[in-house]
Amino acid sequence: MTQRLRLEEAVQRLEQIAPLSLAADWDNVGLLVDGPPDHAIRRCLLTIDLTEPVLAEAIDRGVDLIVAYHPPIFKPLHRLTRSHREGRLVLDALAARIAVHSPHTALDAAPGGVNDWLASAFPGATVRCLQPTRTAAPERWVEGTATREECAKLREHLPAGAGWVDLPEPGRFALRCRESALAEVDARVRDVLGEGRSYDVFVLDRRAELDRGQGRLAVLPQPMAIEDLVTVIKRQLGLEKIRCAIAPNHREGQSIRSVALCAGAGGSVLMGADADLYWTGEMRHHDLLAASASGISVVLGEHTNTERGYLKVLEHRLREDWPGVDVIRSSIDRDPVAIL
């Protein structure tokens, strides 16, 4: 049986997964279409693009919240009318009492986000951020060991100004907090763990250099031939065919030791990265020529194909965090480009 979750609680959890402070300056992330007062969530639809057919699907399936990876409102709207697509989307969402949230580049940059999902195609690789995110306000990263039950207690009642961070290692917890909230976090952690347990506090920027920011550089555990690497990438994206600009040196048999990757249109993040191969959704023609001339091959999965597979990961995370809420993925959302 589905249960209701307050919209404010749902947004808080979404912003713990993808803190808005990690988004690019040009992006428009967060809650874009609010719900009515005391709006509660029974069913949430995940999609990469909120198109009119996807919105119709959400209405038909009785959805209360849409998490649309790409912001359906990007440029300022000067009027809300049905004469343009954005206006129709907002008006129809409001009429159907559906809230809309968009994480976009915040989810790209977040630990365990879209770019980390892409990098997970290479087990055993050493991975770091290409463009670490710097936070404007002083923040701290609190990390230590804890049982599953202790983690649940910590997560249940976080002090204001603190956010939970998902870690891949079992038996460890991590909190992100403002400097002003550190004393409250310290008291909460000691209350749950007890006075005899120790934990670490870092300046957040030290941690950010490792796993918070745009793009990833994956140094492979073993060199790979271009053909084998392309097979791995296609498997990760669920594609039978993919566009490749293979540099002459790789055509001649030189192995690949490192991959720079970025979901979506990653040319501005990848260009200049010291890697043997660039992997993104799309890239400008002249950037492809420049990469090839530098001995760097490029794999292009099309824009949203490098993002859509992550929705399965997000679905699983939200189902765990929102017990009783029906979290579903759009059945019709797909990349607008087809290779025939």
Side-chain angles (χ1 to χ4, degrees):
M1 177 181 296
T2 58
Q3 300 177 4
R4 286 182 175 269
L5 174 74
R6 290 191 303 113
L7 177 60
E8 293 81 2
E9 296 172 327
V11 169
Q12 180 185 42
R13 176 54 186 146
L14 288 166
E15 294 181 3
Q16 287 172 356
I17 293 174
L20 303 189
S21 61
L22 299 182
D25 294 339
W26 48 262
D27 206 358
N28 187 35
V29 295
L31 185 64
L32 303 186
V33 178
D34 206 346
D38 300 321
H39 190 51
I41 311 302
R42 290 175 306 139
R43 180 167 294 156
C44 172
L45 179 88
L46 308 181
T47 185
I48 293 297
D49 290 311
L50 180 53
T51 61
E52 291 179 271
V54 170
L55 181 56
E57 176 190 22
I59 294 171
D60 183 62
R61 300 177 76 174
V63 164
D64 307 295
L65 170 65
I66 296 173
V67 177
Y69 170 80
H70 287 138
I73 305 173
F74 195 74
K75 296 180 180 179
L77 298 178
H78 300 290
R79 57 181 56 85
L80 280 176
T81 69
R82 296 190 174 277
S83 61
H84 56 91
R85 182 179 65 88
E86 292 84 355
R88 291 193 298 271
L89 285 171
V90 173
L91 290 170
D92 288 344
L94 289 171
R97 301 170 64 91
I98 298 176
V100 180
H101 185 282
S102 176
H104 202 203
T105 55
L107 190 56
D108 291 343
V114 180
N115 284 319
D116 280 337
W117 170 73
L118 290 176
S120 70
F122 314 117
T126 301
V127 180
R128 67 171 178 83
C129 283
L130 287 174
Q131 295 183 356
T133 298
R134 302 296 179 183
T135 54
E139 289 188 307
R140 292 293 183 266
W141 181 285
V142 179
E143 183 175 339
T145 59
T147 66
R148 186 184 184 94
E149 291 75 17
E150 289 169 338
C151 287
K153 289 180 181 179
L154 280 173
R155 187 171 181 169
E156 185 177 358
H157 298 292
L158 292 179
W164 183 266
V165 180
D166 284 314
L167 294 179
E169 308 98 321
R172 295 193 67 80
F173 72 89
L175 305 173
R176 172 184 52 82
C177 69
R178 296 196 297 264
E179 180 77 19
S180 59
L182 186 58
E184 291 184 67
V185 168
D186 177 77
R188 176 62 179 157
V189 171
R190 292 187 182 280
D191 178 59
V192 172
L193 301 186
E195 292 293 334
R197 302 271 291 279
S198 62
Y199 59 90
D200 298 314
V201 179
F202 304 99
V203 175
L204 185 57
D205 279 349
R206 289 172 57 187
R207 183 80 185 197
E209 293 174 358
L210 298 178
D211 61 3
R212 294 160 62 92
Q214 300 299 330
R216 297 292 185 268
L217 176 67
V219 179
L220 305 178
Q222 295 180 341
M224 297 181 67
I226 181 68
E227 296 83 4
D228 296 333
L229 193 58
V230 169
T231 297
V232 169
I233 291 174
K234 288 194 293 186
R235 184 184 307 121
Q236 182 74 358
L237 300 182
L239 299 175
E240 294 182 2
K241 295 183 179 181
I242 201 165
R243 292 192 296 155
C244 302
I246 302 177
N249 49 310
H250 295 144
R251 289 187 182 278
E252 295 169 2
Q254 182 176 320
S255 297
I256 293 171
R257 298 175 179 272
S258 57
V259 178
L261 61 91
C262 184
S268 62
V269 175
L270 299 181
M271 291 306 294
D274 184 13
D276 299 324
L277 182 138
Y278 293 165
W279 173 20
T280 187
E282 56 182 315
M283 187 180 287
R284 296 188 307 173
H285 175 73
H286 293 288
D287 288 342
L288 290 173
L289 294 178
S292 183
S294 300
I296 301 170
S297 292
V298 180
V299 176
L300 303 176
E302 307 313 324
H303 191 113
T304 67
N305 288 338
T306 58
E307 302 157 343
R308 187 165 288 99
Y310 180 78
L311 293 183
K312 294 180 182 179
V313 179
L314 184 59
E315 178 186 24
H316 177 73
R317 293 173 75 170
L318 294 180
R319 283 183 179 273
E320 283 194 335
D321 291 342
W322 298 347
V325 174
D326 189 13
V327 182
I328 57 178
R329 285 177 283 127
S330 170
S331 62
I332 60 177
D333 174 51
R334 55 180 54 85
D335 196 281
V337 175
I339 299 176
L340 302 179

